[in-house]
Amino acid sequence: MTGKPSVLFVCVHNAGRSQMAAGWLRHLAGDTVEVRSAGSAPADSVNPAAAEAMREVGIDITGHTPKLLEYETAQDSDVIITMGCGDACPVFPGKRYEDWKLADPAGKGIEAVRPIRDEIRDRVEKLLAELTS
């Protein structure tokens, strides 16, 4: 990677895990990393429990809209992080690729989403340290 690295977070609905991860990376990295997120079958809106969990730590993801994963978005990303989308998540040759095994916050209440949020924060912090070292 040269210049500003770009990271793409992908999950099925782009409404929970990938939105939380993108929110964390934007918050922690500022403008040092280009942050993207998308889904293989995007929902209509961000998961309300995920949004509330992030709001509790001072990060607002309510203004973000789930987006469809486009080939060009993945092609233009340096790092692609998938989250529980199985065969629906593509692998692009020549990219740094990680699959984060995370519980799905869909249909869960805030008590169940908080630990997912915190695990995502830990993973994003590690990723950011690797990108900036």
Side-chain angles (χ1 to χ4, degrees), residues 34-105:
E34 185 175 350
V35 181
R36 304 167 175 166
S37 70
S40 54
D44 293 329
S45 61
V46 171
N47 176 324
E52 178 60 27
M54 294 300 286
R55 190 175 6 246
E56 288 179 351
V57 295
I59 301 170
D60 184 5
I61 62 171
T62 58
H64 296 274
T65 303
K67 295 174 189 65
L68 180 64
L69 175 61
E70 301 283 347
Y71 180 83
E72 294 79 21
T73 303
Q75 188 65 33
D76 293 341
S77 299
D78 298 308
V79 180
I80 300 172
I81 308 289
T82 58
M83 304 174 178
C85 51
D87 295 338
C89 286
V91 176
F92 295 88
K95 303 293 177 186
R96 176 176 168 184
Y97 175 86
E98 293 182 24
D99 184 40
W100 292 357
K101 306 285 189 225
L102 297 162
D104 188 351

Side-chain angles (χ1 to χ4, degrees), residues 10-30:
V10 183
C11 67
V12 175
H13 300 296
N14 188 222
R17 293 167 288 192
S18 57
Q19 291 286 350
M20 287 191 289
W24 274 120
L25 188 55
R26 277 189 217 92
H27 177 75
L28 296 169

